[in-house]
Amino acid sequence: MQINNLNGKVAVVTGASKGIGKAIAVALADAGAKTVLAARTPQTVEDVAAELKAVGADAIAVPTDVTDIDAVQNLIQCTLDTYQNLDILINNAGSGKFGTVVDFDPSDWDNVINSNLKGVYLCAKYALPHLLAQGGGQIINVLSIAAKVAFPASSAYCAAKAGALALTKVLAAEVRDQNIRVTAVLPGSVETPFWDDIPQHPDFEKMLKPEHVANAVLSVCQQPIGMVTEEIVVMPPLGIL
């Protein structure tokens, strides 16, 4: 059980229906935060909210496609309508598809870029006015070590994550004087359903677990707002996504 030092804080977590996002939502709720769970699949994200409520947490589910402007605006508005506040935005939603540049389909490229980069931009864009109005808050972008390391057959994924890291740094520079901290968490490979449709994958025994990433995110949330803009979480000796 975590120390309840997020009591009264309101946190939005995207991609919260499974894997890393679910683990983050559980960790924040365990620390006392009110959690707003966003994901594309209504039933799955509603089930996670029900699990949290069953153990006494304050949580709601808002089915959301983070690449859709209207859906993101609805997510932020539902948060404000329910809790009258927004303190923490966790941008975790994303997808992966892999192939060489020559073989990669342009539509798949667009989907990967949109889910991993455009979604971060949209959620930050529509959350920031409320963080600015209340005088502070946090945005944490859960990315990948692929933001810094190039892997074969991963052009769209690496480009999207590198772009999201650059976006994180731009946002941090734009709003740090307004008491808003923007942080990137860059894990190595994590044992999640991300790998379900990838026949050849790294050894699960060498991967991070979702809870490792969730604990890193929670640690950032619990730190006083300061100048920290990047947190890298990698379990050695990984050289993999």
Side-chain angles (χ1 to χ4, degrees):
M1 193 63 128
Q2 301 288 346
I3 298 172
N4 293 331
N5 63 350
L6 296 183
N7 277 336
K9 300 293 185 180
V10 177
V12 171
V13 183
T14 70
S17 62
K18 57 187 177 182
I20 295 171
K22 179 178 178 180
I24 291 171
V26 170
L28 296 185
D30 197 28
K34 302 171 184 177
T35 56
V36 180
L37 314 180
R40 287 180 297 179
T41 307
Q43 188 58 59
T44 309
V45 73
E46 287 163 5
D47 287 345
V48 176
E51 289 178 29
L52 291 178
K53 290 176 183 177
V55 295
D58 193 343
I60 62 168
V62 183
T64 306
D65 178 350
V66 297
T67 69
D68 182 272
I69 293 173
D70 291 339
V72 172
Q73 289 178 313
N74 178 69
L75 169 63
I76 301 303
Q77 191 59 54
C78 284
T79 300
L80 297 173
D81 288 345
T82 303
Y83 295 118
Q84 295 76 53
N85 200 20
L86 170 58
D87 300 289
I88 302 167
L89 168 65
I90 311 292
N91 283 313
N92 169 75
S95 65
K97 195 170 182 67
F98 303 95
T100 65
V101 171
V102 170
D103 295 331
F104 209 65
D105 189 280
S107 65
D108 290 333
W109 172 277
D110 289 343
N111 289 336
V112 172
I113 296 294
N114 285 342
S115 65
N116 292 286
L117 178 54
K118 181 181 178 182
V120 173
Y121 156 72
L122 288 177
C123 290
K125 174 179 175 61
Y126 292 109
L128 271 171
H130 306 285
L131 299 179
L132 290 166
Q134 72 186 28
Q138 296 194 63
I139 297 175
I140 301 175
N141 298 328
V142 182
L143 307 180
S144 165
I145 197 61
K148 286 181 168 288
V149 181
F151 298 92
S154 304
S155 59
Y157 191 76
C158 287
K161 295 302 186 182
L165 179 56
L167 175 59
T168 301
K169 293 176 179 179
V170 170
L171 286 171
E174 289 181 349
V175 300
R176 68 163 57 99
D177 289 342
Q178 283 75 47
N179 201 38
I180 297 173
R181 180 171 61 212
V182 186
T183 307
V185 175
L186 279 59
S189 294
V190 183
E191 186 181 355
T192 72
F194 177 89
W195 302 102
D196 288 352
D197 298 323
I198 305 175
Q200 295 182 334
H201 54 69
D203 184 351
F204 287 139
E205 293 300 317
K206 295 180 179 179
M207 290 187 185
L208 295 164
K209 305 303 180 187
E211 290 73 23
H212 294 141
V213 184
N215 287 338
V217 170
L218 179 60
S219 176
V220 174
C221 290
Q222 292 173 328
Q223 295 170 13
I225 301 296
M227 297 301 290
V228 177
T229 59
E230 184 175 336
E231 185 91 1
I232 300 178
V233 183
V234 183
M235 180 181 289
L238 295 178
I240 48 182
L241 292 177

mmCIF file of all heavy atoms in Angstrom, residues 23-48:
data_model
loop_
_atom_site.group_PDB
_atom_site.id
_atom_site.type_symbol
_atom_site.label_atom_id
_atom_site.label_comp_id
_atom_site.label_asym_id
_atom_site.label_seq_id
_atom_site.Cartn_x
_atom_site.Cartn_y
_atom_site.Cartn_z
ATOM 1 N N ALA A 23 -1.926 -0.476 -14.490
ATOM 2 C CA ALA A 23 -1.051 -0.492 -13.319
ATOM 3 C C ALA A 23 -0.857 0.912 -12.761
ATOM 4 O O ALA A 23 -0.823 1.112 -11.540
ATOM 5 C CB ALA A 23 0.299 -1.117 -13.676
ATOM 6 N N ILE A 24 -0.734 1.906 -13.640
ATOM 7 C CA ILE A 24 -0.594 3.294 -13.188
ATOM 8 C C ILE A 24 -1.860 3.751 -12.478
ATOM 9 O O ILE A 24 -1.801 4.386 -11.411
ATOM 10 C CB ILE A 24 -0.280 4.219 -14.380
ATOM 11 C CG1 ILE A 24 1.120 3.940 -14.920
ATOM 12 C CG2 ILE A 24 -0.417 5.695 -13.983
ATOM 13 C CD1 ILE A 24 1.431 4.651 -16.220
ATOM 14 N N ALA A 25 -3.015 3.440 -13.060
ATOM 15 C CA ALA A 25 -4.281 3.841 -12.440
ATOM 16 C C ALA A 25 -4.417 3.240 -11.048
ATOM 17 O O ALA A 25 -4.834 3.916 -10.094
ATOM 18 C CB ALA A 25 -5.450 3.415 -13.323
ATOM 19 N N VAL A 26 -4.054 1.972 -10.908
ATOM 20 C CA VAL A 26 -4.127 1.308 -9.604
ATOM 21 C C VAL A 26 -3.181 1.975 -8.612
ATOM 22 O O VAL A 26 -3.546 2.237 -7.454
ATOM 23 C CB VAL A 26 -3.792 -0.191 -9.751
ATOM 24 C CG1 VAL A 26 -3.612 -0.846 -8.382
ATOM 25 C CG2 VAL A 26 -4.882 -0.909 -10.543
ATOM 26 N N ALA A 27 -1.950 2.279 -9.050
ATOM 27 C CA ALA A 27 -0.966 2.893 -8.152
ATOM 28 C C ALA A 27 -1.410 4.278 -7.689
ATOM 29 O O ALA A 27 -1.274 4.623 -6.507
ATOM 30 C CB ALA A 27 0.392 2.978 -8.854
ATOM 31 N N LEU A 28 -1.947 5.074 -8.607
ATOM 32 C CA LEU A 28 -2.392 6.417 -8.233
ATOM 33 C C LEU A 28 -3.599 6.357 -7.307
ATOM 34 O O LEU A 28 -3.692 7.127 -6.336
ATOM 35 C CB LEU A 28 -2.726 7.226 -9.482
ATOM 36 C CG LEU A 28 -1.571 7.519 -10.452
ATOM 37 C CD1 LEU A 28 -2.040 8.431 -11.571
ATOM 38 C CD2 LEU A 28 -0.390 8.136 -9.739
ATOM 39 N N ALA A 29 -4.531 5.445 -7.603
ATOM 40 C CA ALA A 29 -5.702 5.293 -6.733
ATOM 41 C C ALA A 29 -5.271 4.822 -5.347
ATOM 42 O O ALA A 29 -5.788 5.280 -4.327
ATOM 43 C CB ALA A 29 -6.686 4.310 -7.354
ATOM 44 N N ASP A 30 -4.299 3.921 -5.310
ATOM 45 C CA ASP A 30 -3.785 3.412 -4.045
ATOM 46 C C ASP A 30 -3.147 4.523 -3.220
ATOM 47 O O ASP A 30 -3.150 4.485 -1.980
ATOM 48 C CB ASP A 30 -2.755 2.319 -4.334
ATOM 49 C CG ASP A 30 -2.460 1.448 -3.129
ATOM 50 O OD1 ASP A 30 -3.344 1.293 -2.272
ATOM 51 O OD2 ASP A 30 -1.337 0.923 -3.053
ATOM 52 N N ALA A 31 -2.610 5.539 -3.917
ATOM 53 C CA ALA A 31 -1.989 6.677 -3.229
ATOM 54 C C ALA A 31 -2.991 7.769 -2.900
ATOM 55 O O ALA A 31 -2.609 8.837 -2.420
ATOM 56 C CB ALA A 31 -0.861 7.246 -4.092
ATOM 57 N N GLY A 32 -4.280 7.514 -3.176
ATOM 58 C CA GLY A 32 -5.315 8.437 -2.763
ATOM 59 C C GLY A 32 -5.892 9.327 -3.840
ATOM 60 O O GLY A 32 -6.786 10.131 -3.569
ATOM 61 N N ALA A 33 -5.407 9.196 -5.072
ATOM 62 C CA ALA A 33 -5.905 10.056 -6.144
ATOM 63 C C ALA A 33 -7.277 9.600 -6.635
ATOM 64 O O ALA A 33 -7.603 8.410 -6.598
ATOM 65 C CB ALA A 33 -4.923 10.073 -7.309
ATOM 66 N N LYS A 34 -8.048 10.565 -7.096
ATOM 67 C CA LYS A 34 -9.272 10.270 -7.841
ATOM 68 C C LYS A 34 -8.851 10.055 -9.293
ATOM 69 O O LYS A 34 -8.176 10.901 -9.869
ATOM 70 C CB LYS A 34 -10.251 11.434 -7.732
ATOM 71 C CG LYS A 34 -10.629 11.785 -6.298
ATOM 72 C CD LYS A 34 -11.421 13.084 -6.230
ATOM 73 C CE LYS A 34 -11.713 13.473 -4.790
ATOM 74 N NZ LYS A 34 -12.428 14.778 -4.702
ATOM 75 N N THR A 35 -9.240 8.923 -9.865
ATOM 76 C CA THR A 35 -8.708 8.560 -11.167
ATOM 77 C C THR A 35 -9.786 8.542 -12.242
ATOM 78 O O THR A 35 -10.885 8.036 -12.033
ATOM 79 C CB THR A 35 -8.011 7.191 -11.124
ATOM 80 O OG1 THR A 35 -8.924 6.217 -10.622
ATOM 81 C CG2 THR A 35 -6.778 7.229 -10.254
ATOM 82 N N VAL A 36 -9.425 9.112 -13.388
ATOM 83 C CA VAL A 36 -10.284 9.095 -14.577
ATOM 84 C C VAL A 36 -9.600 8.202 -15.600
ATOM 85 O O VAL A 36 -8.496 8.499 -16.060
ATOM 86 C CB VAL A 36 -10.483 10.511 -15.142
ATOM 87 C CG1 VAL A 36 -11.374 10.473 -16.374
ATOM 88 C CG2 VAL A 36 -11.066 11.429 -14.074
ATOM 89 N N LEU A 37 -10.247 7.093 -15.928
ATOM 90 C CA LEU A 37 -9.638 6.078 -16.775
ATOM 91 C C LEU A 37 -10.138 6.219 -18.202
ATOM 92 O O LEU A 37 -11.348 6.182 -18.452
ATOM 93 C CB LEU A 37 -9.967 4.685 -16.254
ATOM 94 C CG LEU A 37 -9.807 4.484 -14.735
ATOM 95 C CD1 LEU A 37 -10.177 3.063 -14.359
ATOM 96 C CD2 LEU A 37 -8.400 4.812 -14.302
ATOM 97 N N ALA A 38 -9.211 6.368 -19.136
ATOM 98 C CA ALA A 38 -9.566 6.545 -20.541
ATOM 99 C C ALA A 38 -8.941 5.432 -21.379
ATOM 100 O O ALA A 38 -7.780 5.081 -21.198
ATOM 101 C CB ALA A 38 -9.078 7.900 -21.047
ATOM 102 N N ALA A 39 -9.738 4.878 -22.294
ATOM 103 C CA ALA A 39 -9.269 3.883 -23.254
ATOM 104 C C ALA A 39 -10.330 3.743 -24.327
ATOM 105 O O ALA A 39 -11.478 4.171 -24.146
ATOM 106 C CB ALA A 39 -8.987 2.540 -22.588
ATOM 107 N N ARG A 40 -9.961 3.132 -25.442
ATOM 108 C CA ARG A 40 -10.883 3.051 -26.572
ATOM 109 C C ARG A 40 -12.016 2.056 -26.360
ATOM 110 O O ARG A 40 -13.113 2.252 -26.877
ATOM 111 C CB ARG A 40 -10.119 2.676 -27.848
ATOM 112 C CG ARG A 40 -9.272 3.782 -28.411
ATOM 113 C CD ARG A 40 -8.549 3.344 -29.663
ATOM 114 N NE ARG A 40 -7.621 2.263 -29.389
ATOM 115 C CZ ARG A 40 -6.874 1.672 -30.307
ATOM 116 N NH1 ARG A 40 -6.976 2.020 -31.570
ATOM 117 N NH2 ARG A 40 -6.031 0.707 -29.969
ATOM 118 N N THR A 41 -11.772 0.977 -25.629
ATOM 119 C CA THR A 41 -12.763 -0.091 -25.484
ATOM 120 C C THR A 41 -13.620 0.146 -24.245
ATOM 121 O O THR A 41 -13.134 0.013 -23.104
ATOM 122 C CB THR A 41 -12.073 -1.457 -25.367
ATOM 123 O OG1 THR A 41 -11.167 -1.623 -26.458
ATOM 124 C CG2 THR A 41 -13.099 -2.577 -25.398
ATOM 125 N N PRO A 42 -14.888 0.510 -24.422
ATOM 126 C CA PRO A 42 -15.723 0.890 -23.273
ATOM 127 C C PRO A 42 -15.800 -0.161 -22.177
ATOM 128 O O PRO A 42 -15.570 0.139 -21.000
ATOM 129 C CB PRO A 42 -17.093 1.155 -23.903
ATOM 130 C CG PRO A 42 -16.782 1.547 -25.307
ATOM 131 C CD PRO A 42 -15.600 0.707 -25.703
ATOM 132 N N GLN A 43 -16.120 -1.397 -22.528
ATOM 133 C CA GLN A 43 -16.347 -2.413 -21.501
ATOM 134 C C GLN A 43 -15.095 -2.673 -20.685
ATOM 135 O O GLN A 43 -15.142 -2.796 -19.454
ATOM 136 C CB GLN A 43 -16.831 -3.721 -22.134
ATOM 137 C CG GLN A 43 -17.265 -4.767 -21.119
ATOM 138 C CD GLN A 43 -18.389 -4.263 -20.222
ATOM 139 O OE1 GLN A 43 -19.445 -3.899 -20.674
ATOM 140 N NE2 GLN A 43 -18.138 -4.227 -18.900
ATOM 141 N N THR A 44 -13.951 -2.739 -21.355
ATOM 142 C CA THR A 44 -12.707 -3.047 -20.649
ATOM 143 C C THR A 44 -12.336 -1.957 -19.660
ATOM 144 O O THR A 44 -11.978 -2.233 -18.505
ATOM 145 C CB THR A 44 -11.555 -3.240 -21.652
ATOM 146 O OG1 THR A 44 -11.958 -4.163 -22.662
ATOM 147 C CG2 THR A 44 -10.321 -3.779 -20.957
ATOM 148 N N VAL A 45 -12.419 -0.699 -20.081
ATOM 149 C CA VAL A 45 -12.029 0.391 -19.178
ATOM 150 C C VAL A 45 -13.060 0.557 -18.060
ATOM 151 O O VAL A 45 -12.710 0.903 -16.920
ATOM 152 C CB VAL A 45 -11.818 1.702 -19.969
ATOM 153 C CG1 VAL A 45 -13.140 2.304 -20.418
ATOM 154 C CG2 VAL A 45 -11.025 2.705 -19.135
ATOM 155 N N GLU A 46 -14.317 0.266 -18.345
ATOM 156 C CA GLU A 46 -15.336 0.319 -17.292
ATOM 157 C C GLU A 46 -15.112 -0.788 -16.259
ATOM 158 O O GLU A 46 -15.360 -0.597 -15.059
ATOM 159 C CB GLU A 46 -16.727 0.223 -17.912
ATOM 160 C CG GLU A 46 -17.140 1.502 -18.641
ATOM 161 C CD GLU A 46 -18.306 1.313 -19.587
ATOM 162 O OE1 GLU A 46 -18.870 0.192 -19.620
ATOM 163 O OE2 GLU A 46 -18.649 2.273 -20.299
ATOM 164 N N ASP A 47 -14.626 -1.940 -16.717
ATOM 165 C CA ASP A 47 -14.316 -3.031 -15.782
ATOM 166 C C ASP A 47 -13.195 -2.628 -14.828
ATOM 167 O O ASP A 47 -13.238 -2.955 -13.631
ATOM 168 C CB ASP A 47 -13.909 -4.291 -16.554
ATOM 169 C CG ASP A 47 -15.084 -4.963 -17.248
ATOM 170 O OD1 ASP A 47 -16.238 -4.633 -16.925
ATOM 171 O OD2 ASP A 47 -14.832 -5.817 -18.131
ATOM 172 N N VAL A 48 -12.185 -1.929 -15.342
ATOM 173 C CA VAL A 48 -11.084 -1.483 -14.476
ATOM 174 C C VAL A 48 -11.594 -0.479 -13.443
ATOM 175 O O VAL A 48 -11.236 -0.555 -12.257
ATOM 176 C CB VAL A 48 -9.945 -0.873 -15.313
ATOM 177 C CG1 VAL A 48 -8.854 -0.313 -14.389
ATOM 178 C CG2 VAL A 48 -9.356 -1.905 -16.256
#
